[in-house]
Amino acid sequence: MTAVTETPRTGAPIGDGGIGQSVRDSLVVARRNLIRMTRIPEVVIFGLIQPIMFVVLFSYVFGGSMSIGGSTNAGVYREFLMSGIFAQTVTFATAGAGAGIADDMHKGLIDRFRSLPMARGAVLTGRTLADLVQTALTLLVLAVVALLVGWRTHTNIGEVLGAFGLLLLLGYAFTWIGALIGLSVRTPEAATSGGLVWLFPVTFVSNAFVPTDNMTPWLRHIAEWNPFSAIVQAARQLFGNPGVADSSAWPMQHPVWASLIWSVLIIAVFRTLAVRKYRNATA
């Protein structure tokens, strides 16, 4: 009797495909990254220190010298400031996202994922979802600190939650930029540097820390069409905080809609580029 031996198939196993599998695989990867975060608590702790330092330094060092609407009252500037600090916190999470993905690529973890029957885009989607959860926790702690130093909202709970929702949406959009950077460099250190070098002009050429009224016309125009300025303006409007500038620029007149449009556009463009880069890198 002749034995029949099956020839083993080579290559990575292929999943069933479809949206259902992609969602399940993304949630599994997100859970893996969240568990990893709990086992390395210093990552979360250090992520909290920087925004808290910004709140304290800007509130008490610069608060009395800033004029908001003709008032130099430190409490007025504190309420003006917080939307900018919230927005800066969610966007600076981009650097961590890029470094984490670059670290996974550097250690060969992505090659292990390739051997599993899973959706290809799930690795990136799961990572960005885990970063979103971490950002939400950071934002919650930062809001408590802001309340302790005197920040207050003057609208209803629905508008306040809407402001935080827009902030998280923009933060999630920016993590896809970080994902693309993480896939494009060779080391986590390079991903961290690359993730921060473009964030500083984006966050500081804006209405986050100072009013745009005194900027030169060309710089003010850039600041008013900056996606970061739109989310800061939307948050101030929904929180009822001072600093809603009288500007003719469309994003400043309709900041909530501008924030939504910018966020969706960034996700659509950079998720497509990141997933394509990931597939090419692991082909």
Side-chain angles (χ1 to χ4, degrees):
M1 179 179 291
T2 304
V4 178
T5 305
E6 290 188 5
T7 303
R9 292 182 297 174
T10 59
I14 305 300
D16 296 331
I19 296 176
Q21 183 194 5
S22 180
V23 171
R24 289 192 302 271
D25 293 344
S26 298
L27 292 177
V28 170
V29 176
R31 181 174 177 271
R32 172 256 174 191
N33 283 284
L34 289 173
I35 292 174
R36 183 186 180 190
M37 290 175 188
T38 61
R39 293 175 179 173
I40 314 175
E42 56 267 28
V43 173
V44 180
I45 294 172
F46 290 143
L48 287 170
I49 291 175
Q50 178 179 301
I52 291 174
M53 287 177 60
F54 269 103
V55 172
V56 175
L57 289 174
F58 275 87
S59 296
Y60 294 104
V61 176
F62 302 109
S65 60
M66 295 292 185
S67 177
I68 305 299
S71 173
T72 57
N73 183 278
V76 174
Y77 180 69
R78 198 170 294 124
E79 291 193 353
F80 169 88
L81 170 71
M82 283 315 305
S83 293
I85 295 292
F86 288 146
Q88 185 191 53
T89 300
V90 300
T91 53
F92 269 45
T94 301
I101 291 174
D103 187 51
D104 288 344
M105 293 285 290
H106 184 68
K107 291 180 177 178
L109 182 65
I110 301 301
D111 292 331
R112 300 176 201 170
F113 283 134
R114 287 182 60 202
S115 67
L116 301 175
M118 61 186 300
R120 288 289 181 258
V123 174
L124 299 180
T125 302
R127 175 76 205 199
T128 55
L129 287 176
D131 289 329
L132 179 64
V133 173
Q134 182 180 354
T135 301
L137 293 175
T138 303
L139 206 57
L140 176 62
V141 174
L142 188 59
V144 173
V145 174
L147 290 171
L148 292 176
V149 299
W151 171 69
R152 296 293 183 269
T153 60
H154 306 282
T155 52
N156 59 56
I157 187 65
E159 290 177 300
V160 171
L161 292 177
F164 283 116
L166 284 175
L167 287 164
L168 290 174
L169 179 62
L170 185 72
Y172 180 70
F174 272 44
T175 57
W176 282 106
I177 301 178
L180 180 61
I181 293 172
L183 291 167
S184 303
V185 298
R186 297 181 180 180
T187 64
E189 293 79 9
T192 301
S193 300
L196 290 175
V197 69
W198 63 274
L199 279 174
F200 279 101
V202 167
T203 54
F204 283 95
V205 183
S206 71
N207 59 356
F209 306 110
V210 296
T212 59
D213 302 343
N214 296 327
M215 294 182 180
T216 57
W218 66 270
L219 190 61
R220 179 180 180 180
H221 186 72
I222 293 174
E224 289 174 341
W225 282 88
N226 183 348
F228 187 81
S229 293
I231 187 61
V232 173
Q233 187 85 337
R236 286 182 182 139
Q237 179 177 298
L238 293 173
F239 287 144
N241 289 159
V244 181
D246 183 16
S247 171
S248 59
W250 187 86
M252 299 296 100
Q253 291 289 325
H254 309 278
V256 174
W257 280 109
S259 299
L260 288 171
I261 292 171
W262 275 120
S263 298
V264 171
L265 184 62
I266 291 170
I267 292 172
V269 171
F270 284 93
R271 187 185 188 280
T272 301
L273 293 175
V275 171
R276 182 180 300 171
K277 184 74 174 180
Y278 171 78
R279 287 175 176 168
N280 291 337
T282 59

